[in-house]
Amino acid sequence: MIVLAHFGHWYVSLPVFLGPVAALFAWVYVGDWLEKRKGGRRDRD
Amino acid sequence: MRRRTAVAVALATAAAAVWPDVASAHGLVGRADLPIPSWLFGWGASIVLIVSFVALATLWPQPRLEQAVERPWFRIPAWVDPICGLIGVALFGVVVYSGLEGTSEAMNNFASNFIFVEFWVGLVILSVLFGDVFRAFNPWLAVGRALRWAAARAGLSSPVRRDYPAWLGRWPAVATIIGFAWLELVYTQKTPQTLAWLCIGYAVVQLLAMAAFGIERWVDNGDGFTVYFNLFSRLSPLIRRDGVLHLRPPLAGVPSMPMVPGSIGLLCAAIGSTTFDGFSNGPVWASLNPDLQSLFKDLGSSTNVAIELAGAVGLLGCVAAVGLFYRLGVRGMQTVGEGYPSTELARRFAHTLVPIAFAYALAHYFSLLIYNGQAVASLVSDPLGDGSNIFGTASAHIDYGVISGKGIWYVQVAALVVGHVSGLILAHDRALSLYKRVRDATRSQYWMLVVMVGFTSLGLWLLSAVRQ
């Protein structure tokens, strides 16, 4: 448990560095989801 | 034309964001004096990758690297191979002799410096510049071939050959690279003597394996170092085929990399071991490591064994994290277009990790090569560290002013950006040949863009954490 607890205090620098990755991931993920939704609607119509 | 101009302007703007004030980066300036915070370099590098992605999607509509043409340059004379082999065997002999007979202080022994700097790091760069250099100088390959030649001259039959199991693929190489990284980064007893014995043991295993499976078949799959350096040689514009040196476009050798079992593992091991090198010098590992060691001590390990086990966990964790991140990108790609199975996509796009492995190696080990590499000048004159001065260069010192800390940081950022843009180019080229519609090819690469930006940001975070 003590070992695992270390993952709780990652340095602030990591999320700052990985900010663009998170933003890109969200954009691609949402884009894919919208695309699938659009495809599903087209199939129903 | 207007579109091309717009892309060029965007690329220049993004590059300026990553390398500001580079013209004034001279003199002995520490990395603490960087003009902008290091995380902004990460964001700038991400912008360069995104702009490169857009440029590829608009300006690269056909696969160009999959079927790249190689042009013959010149025939390599027949005497070159035995001469290179002899040099390789002689160097191996010097390394083993200095390891066994020289001082046990690693800093003053030729063996330690040669193995960890010139061999492990220098050969990676030489392979990218000049092709498969290690294969030419590989000492156990030279001995194996010499024994085969001698046996043929004496009319002896070759040893019993077994088929190299297809499932084994490059897994022996994966084990070798992870083992070597563990030896370099974790093992606490790595005296020059230990290194020399390990060199002998490795060479003996290679010769036995060559006898069992055939020389070329084993070396191409199971000899960890040949396989490892061959990876990087695929980035080179030079390739040797049937004794003739050929020229090809840079990166063109990567798509033809055979994806036998263990290939993805090898690439993850190459990137993961370098990642661990950076991670193990940063604050997170400094905080985590003592508790991991305590855990192993509580389980009954001695102090040294606890250190080594904690390091092994960290190393394997980094290799697994790299593999997991790549797999996540592939899973994303699977949702696009024809719905290829994720194992197929993982195999088809794994070659895009080759330039990343090189970028990580160059970025992490550049300072080691540039500083510790200079020590070879004094060590060739005093390989045993006993005060001899064979070539009169024993008093040569390392010039730490050869490049500033700031200069090293810029080289590291440039290596990571160029390496990841190369990865994007390879992925885009493969996607164009894989997907029927260009739109699907581009959409599938959104996920590879996430992977590339992730590896770039991770690499810069690791490097910036080391310097704090």
Side-chain angles (χ1 to χ4, degrees):
Chain A
M1 280 311 285
I2 293 171
V3 169
L4 290 177
H6 282 276
F7 291 101
H9 59 86
W10 285 92
Y11 285 77
V12 179
S13 64
L14 184 60
V16 172
F17 266 88
L18 294 184
V21 192
L24 257 179
F25 180 82
W27 176 65
V28 173
Y29 190 83
V30 170
D32 259 15
W33 179 73
L34 287 174
E35 190 79 17
K36 267 186 207 156
R37 221 177 118 201
K38 221 191 309 179
R41 266 194 200 154
R42 218 178 288 137
D43 290 347
R44 276 203 300 275
D45 293 343
Chain B
M1 194 64 200
R2 193 185 292 167
R3 196 171 59 179
R4 283 185 186 216
T5 313
V7 170
V9 169
L11 269 172
T13 313
V18 177
W19 294 288
D21 201 21
V22 75
S24 62
H26 52 79
L28 277 170
V29 188
R31 275 195 262 172
D33 300 318
L34 289 173
I36 55 171
S38 51
W39 62 266
L40 258 180
F41 281 91
W43 286 45
S46 303
I47 292 170
V48 173
L49 259 67
I50 292 166
V51 171
S52 307
F53 179 83
V54 175
L56 284 169
T58 50
L59 305 175
W60 193 303
Q62 298 286 332
R64 294 179 189 181
L65 296 171
E66 298 280 328
Q67 302 291 332
V69 179
E70 294 173 357
R71 283 185 297 117
W73 189 13
F74 66 87
R75 176 165 288 281
I76 298 168
W79 50 265
V80 170
D81 275 339
I83 296 287
C84 289
L86 268 176
I87 293 171
V89 173
L91 268 172
F92 181 81
V94 172
V95 167
V96 169
Y97 180 72
S98 357
L100 291 177
E101 297 298 321
T103 172
S104 54
E105 292 170 24
M107 292 276 285
N108 298 321
N109 193 303
F110 177 79
S112 304
N113 185 280
F114 187 84
I115 291 170
F116 291 125
V117 184
E118 283 79 26
F119 173 72
W120 182 238
V121 184
L123 265 176
V124 169
I125 294 168
L126 287 178
S127 304
V128 172
L129 292 175
F130 303 113
D132 209 349
V133 180
F134 180 64
R135 196 182 176 88
F137 291 91
N138 183 339
W140 35 92
L141 177 59
V143 171
R145 282 176 171 166
L147 289 174
R148 180 171 62 188
W149 177 82
R153 296 271 293 185
L156 298 170
S157 61
S158 57
V160 179
R161 296 277 169 80
R162 292 151 202 243
D163 283 336
Y164 185 78
W167 59 265
L168 198 54
R170 292 189 168 123
W171 288 113
V174 177
T176 305
I177 296 307
I178 292 179
F180 187 86
W182 180 82
L183 174 77
E184 183 198 14
L185 306 173
V186 179
Y187 186 51
T188 54
Q189 314 290 317
K190 50 176 180 292
T191 62
Q193 286 72 31
T194 323
L195 290 176
W197 281 114
L198 284 171
C199 285
I200 294 169
Y202 186 79
V204 169
V205 169
Q206 298 311 301
L207 289 171
L208 290 175
M210 283 181 212
F213 298 114
I215 294 175
E216 274 75 23
R217 197 168 300 161
W218 171 258
V219 165
D220 289 340
N221 290 285
D223 175 6
F225 297 112
T226 305
V227 173
Y228 179 71
F229 294 123
N230 176 268
L231 272 185
F232 300 110
S233 75
R234 291 179 174 276
L235 296 165
S236 168
L238 299 173
I239 172 82
R240 178 186 169 158
R241 281 196 204 288
D242 304 323
V244 177
L245 199 64
H246 287 69
L247 286 169
R248 64 187 175 191
L251 302 179
V254 188
S256 61
M257 178 182 166
M259 281 298 155
V260 297
S263 300
I264 300 174
L266 181 70
L267 286 158
C268 293
I271 300 172
S273 57
T274 323
T275 302
F276 179 67
D277 189 21
F279 184 68
S280 61
N281 286 301
V284 177
W285 181 249
S287 143
L288 179 64
N289 191 21
D291 286 328
L292 261 179
Q293 289 178 21
S294 300
L295 180 75
F296 286 116
K297 274 187 209 161
D298 292 344
L299 292 172
S301 305
S302 66
T303 305
N304 279 347
V305 173
I307 292 170
E308 287 157 5
L309 286 174
V313 169
L315 175 62
L316 291 173
C318 284
V319 173
V322 168
L324 190 69
F325 192 52
Y326 175 64
R327 281 280 175 180
L328 279 175
V330 167
R331 285 294 288 270
M333 244 195 285
Q334 201 191 357
T335 60
V336 179
E338 284 98 87
Y340 289 105
S342 64
T343 44
E344 169 79 0
L345 287 173
R347 211 171 52 80
R348 294 279 196 124
F349 284 88
H351 68 294
T352 63
L353 298 177
V354 175
I356 299 175
F358 174 62
Y360 264 55
L362 183 61
H364 283 270
Y365 295 121
F366 179 70
S367 56
L368 178 82
L369 184 68
I370 218 81
Y371 293 135
N372 295 49
Q374 294 178 50
V376 80
S378 61
L379 289 170
V380 288
S381 275
D382 186 14
L384 307 182
D386 59 0
S388 54
N389 194 0
I390 301 167
F391 301 108
T393 56
S395 59
H397 291 293
I398 296 174
D399 177 9
Y400 287 100
V402 72
I403 186 168
S404 65
K406 198 171 170 181
I408 289 174
W409 171 252
Y410 284 124
V411 170
Q412 291 172 327
V413 174
L416 285 172
V417 171
V418 172
H420 288 82
V421 169
S422 304
L424 273 181
I425 292 171
L426 288 166
H428 178 76
D429 203 67
R430 177 57 54 88
L432 286 173
S433 66
L434 189 64
Y435 290 93
K436 289 186 188 116
R437 295 192 306 167
V438 177
R439 186 170 175 273
D440 285 343
T442 306
R443 277 193 57 223
S444 73
Q445 292 315 293
Y446 289 167
W447 289 101
M448 282 311 272
L449 178 64
V450 175
V451 170
M452 298 298 169
V453 172
F455 276 130
T456 309
S457 305
L458 177 71
L460 286 172
W461 176 70
L462 290 167
L463 291 168
S464 72
V466 170
R467 74 189 186 85
Q468 279 169 358

